[in-house]
């Protein structure tokens, strides 16, 4: 594996750029947008809210924001938890009524965590603890929201709902989650006071249109960087990657495992930090990861588990309960997938324990429609003794439609089976 990896735009930033642009009166222009199924579902939702959202070049989008209207039919968020949760909060803040639905996986994911704070803000919500749910704005009250478990989606939903009131809106985060919403809202003129674990919405709660450049997605780059760490002879660079501290846990984890990692061109971009990350193959060793470290690499745990399978010695990853509530039960699926590939992996409560070494592979992995389970096992197959097959590979398009091409360009042997 060698070369510069074509890192797609960050998924979290892409959803936010479209949604925040749709809330800002006037024209917001976005470049480097991730054009994946999840983000396209958010674009379609915004159109249903009466917002003009259009592509005018590869990765280049224009959003003409303003007041939203209640849509004529249900909003299908597809596979996307980020889309669903952020849009629920934003719709409440806009004072409209909307019903949210999703695919089979999204329909199983917990929505009580968004419903509860919205209801505390005076929003009427119909339905249960999962989609479909109907949100009836407006927001009539403020909130002091304690963000436990640490969820950037829930925090963002509360902030977006809070734009629809003048009442006090405070978020308290004992463990920090990604703060892209805070950074992008501030860049678009919203007043936010940030003080340690506390974030408070200020007086100015309207957004100004902006030119937004989306940095590379560290959660997607992680697959190529992991491959470089475990495939002998590799050297891969992921350029212009988002290096927000709440998203850099995987790069730090590689370093802690002894991988040859270098950062270059580190710089600021609209309040975020970005830079190039280079990983070279070399010896890697098992390590321990504690619960407080997990939010900064929550989406990278499947690929971290794969790296651990090739590291010398034992890796323990603690505090993985949230992994059970992602697009699939990722804790169970990684344990099963690694075992099917001949790796001694086990879980003890919400801790994953992996004995690394050489990996046999040779398994047909059932991904349960989870894009990251598919991509992680394909990377495992690049370094295992026997090839690995994954099912439902089309789901990779939810976050990374160009994955196979980008990996092949580095020299990966990935073939489509009949
Ligand atoms: C995201 C937050 C995380 C992450 C997801 C994207 C976001 O989810 O897993 O892929 O964009 O805010 P949680 O908020 O559920 O932790």
């Amino acid at each position: 594996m060698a070369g510069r990896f074509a890192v797609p735009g960050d998924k979290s930033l892409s959803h936010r750029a479209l949604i925040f642009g749709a809330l800002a009166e006037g024209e917001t222009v976005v470049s480097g947008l991730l054009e994946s199924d999840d983000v396209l579902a958010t674009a379609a939702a915004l159109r249903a809210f009466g917002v003009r959202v259009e592509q005018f070049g590869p990765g280049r989008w224009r959003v003409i924001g303003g007041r939203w209207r209640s849509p004529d039919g249900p909003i299908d968020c597809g596979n996307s938890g980020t889309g669903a949760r952020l849009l629920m909060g934003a719709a409440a803040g806009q004072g409209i009524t909307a019903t949210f639905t999703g695919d089979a996986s999204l329909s199983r994911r917990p929505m009580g965590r968004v419903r509860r704070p919205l209801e505390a803000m005076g929003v009427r919500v119909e339905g249960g603890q999962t989609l479909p749910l109907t949100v009836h704005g407006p927001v009539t009250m403020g909130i002091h929201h304690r963000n436990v478990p640490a969820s950037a989606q829930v925090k963002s939903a509360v902030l977006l709902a809070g734009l629809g009131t003048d009442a006090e809106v405070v978020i308290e985060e004992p463990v920090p989650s990604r703060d892209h919403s805070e950074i992008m809202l501030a860049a678009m003129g919203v007043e936010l006071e940030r003080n340690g674990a506390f974030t408070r919405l200020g007086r100015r709660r309207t957004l100004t249109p902006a030119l937004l450049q989306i940095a590379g997605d560290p959660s997607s780059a992680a697959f190529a960087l992991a491959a470089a760490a475990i495939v002998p002879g590799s050297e891969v660079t992921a350029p212009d990657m988002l290096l927000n501290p709440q998203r850099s846990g995987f790069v730090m984890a590689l370093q802690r495992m002894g991988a040859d990692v270098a950062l270059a061109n580190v710089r600021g971009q609209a309040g975020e930090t970005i830079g190039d990350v280079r990983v070279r193959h070399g010896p890697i060793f098992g390590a321990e990861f504690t619960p407080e470290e997990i939010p900064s690499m929550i989406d990278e745990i499947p690929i971290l588990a794969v790296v651990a399978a090739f590291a010398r010695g034992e890796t323990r990853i603690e505090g993985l309960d949230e992994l059970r509530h992602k697009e699939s039960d990722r804790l169970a699926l990684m344990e099963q997938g690694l075992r099917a590939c001949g790796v001694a992996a086990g879980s003890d409560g919400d801790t994953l324990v992996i004995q690394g070494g050489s990996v046999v592979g040779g398994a047909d992995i059932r991904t349960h429609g989870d894009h990251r389970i598919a991509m992680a096992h394909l990377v495992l197959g690049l370094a295992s003794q026997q090839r690995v097959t994954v099912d439902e590979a089309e789901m990779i398009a939810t976050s990374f439609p160009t994955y196979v091409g980008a990996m092949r360009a580095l020299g990966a042997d990935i073939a489509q089976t009949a």
Side-chain angles (χ1 to χ4, degrees):
M1 303 282 292
R4 281 169 81 79
F5 189 53
V7 188
D10 185 69
K11 180 153 73 72
S12 291
L13 292 184
S14 294
H15 282 290
R16 285 163 174 78
L18 294 182
I19 297 171
F20 297 5
L23 293 169
E25 185 91 43
E27 180 175 307
T28 285
V29 173
V30 188
S31 51
L33 190 86
L34 169 69
E35 289 160 348
S36 75
D37 291 352
D38 274 12
V39 176
L40 296 179
T42 288
L46 295 171
R47 289 191 191 108
F49 293 138
V51 179
R52 242 175 80 200
V53 182
E54 52 198 35
Q55 187 198 33
F56 65 94
R60 296 177 70 77
W61 288 65
R62 182 182 298 126
V63 184
I64 318 291
R67 284 224 64 87
W68 297 8
R69 62 165 171 78
S70 299
D72 299 330
I75 300 297
D76 183 357
C77 299
N79 191 245
S80 178
T82 307
R85 294 185 176 122
L86 268 62
L87 288 169
M88 285 169 68
Q94 284 286 306
I96 64 171
T97 290
T99 299
F100 295 88
T101 65
D103 70 4
S105 150
L106 184 57
S107 303
R108 280 192 295 270
R109 295 177 66 184
M111 291 296 158
R113 51 179 66 187
V114 185
R115 178 181 184 154
R116 278 186 297 276
L118 290 182
E119 285 180 327
M121 298 173 89
V123 176
R124 194 160 69 79
V125 182
E126 272 178 276
Q129 301 302 306
T130 53
L131 297 185
L133 282 172
T134 302
V135 171
H136 300 270
V139 171
T140 56
M141 284 180 271
I143 191 170
H144 181 126
H145 175 69
R146 207 165 174 272
N147 196 31
V148 177
S151 164
Q153 294 175 359
V154 175
K155 171 176 63 174
S156 303
V158 171
L159 288 172
L160 291 171
L163 300 177
T165 174
D166 292 329
E168 174 143 295
V169 173
V170 178
I171 315 263
E172 180 185 350
E173 289 200 282
V175 176
S177 64
R178 62 189 70 186
D179 59 353
H180 307 310
S181 292
E182 294 88 317
I183 291 171
M184 201 182 283
L185 284 172
M188 295 176 78
V190 172
E191 253 172 46
L192 288 152
E193 247 176 68
R194 301 184 65 188
N195 192 352
F198 295 90
T199 300
R200 183 189 307 268
L201 273 181
R203 268 231 284 266
R204 192 185 138 83
R205 300 187 188 182
T206 48
L207 289 88
T208 309
L211 292 176
L212 302 170
Q213 168 75 46
I214 309 296
D217 194 328
S219 304
S220 295
F223 297 103
L225 298 177
I230 63 175
V231 175
S234 296
E235 175 166 344
V236 168
T237 299
D240 304 329
M241 195 177 107
L242 188 57
L243 290 174
N244 179 307
Q246 300 314 321
R247 300 291 301 282
S248 302
F250 177 73
V251 170
M252 314 245 295
L254 284 181
Q255 278 174 321
R256 178 121 44 94
M257 295 172 89
D260 181 352
V261 179
L263 302 185
N265 293 325
V266 177
R267 59 204 191 272
Q269 182 176 282
E272 294 282 4
T273 304
I274 68 169
D276 305 346
V277 181
R278 198 261 299 128
V279 175
R280 260 194 216 128
H281 178 259
I284 49 170
F285 304 91
E288 284 194 19
F289 300 98
T290 57
E292 311 75 61
E293 297 179 88
I294 302 305
S296 70
M297 51 176 166
I298 184 71
D299 294 335
E300 288 75 85
I301 302 299
I303 190 64
L304 178 62
V306 166
V307 172
F310 291 89
R312 244 173 262 164
E314 181 177 287
T315 293
R316 286 177 66 83
I317 317 175
E318 295 174 6
L320 294 181
D321 188 51
E322 272 299 293
L323 233 55
R324 299 190 191 279
H325 307 297
K326 294 296 175 189
E327 287 81 331
S328 68
D329 178 346
R330 288 182 176 161
L331 182 50
L333 291 191
M334 283 318 297
E335 187 184 344
Q336 283 165 25
L338 290 177
R339 282 200 190 164
C341 293
V343 178
S347 58
D348 172 11
D350 63 0
T351 298
L352 183 60
V353 184
I354 297 161
Q355 310 296 336
S358 66
V359 177
V360 180
D364 290 332
I365 302 294
R366 289 197 51 207
T367 64
H368 293 255
D370 186 327
H371 54 129
R372 295 198 206 282
I373 295 294
M375 290 186 277
H377 284 94
L378 287 173
V379 170
L380 184 148
L382 296 176
S384 59
Q385 291 152 28
Q386 295 166 23
R387 71 170 184 207
V388 170
T389 307
V390 303
D391 69 357
E392 297 186 79
E394 68 281 0
M395 290 304 286
I396 291 173
T398 62
S399 69
F400 197 168
T402 50
Y403 175 76
V404 172
M407 293 295 280
R408 280 186 184 147
L410 299 177
D413 178 8
I414 304 180
Q416 187 145 13
T417 55

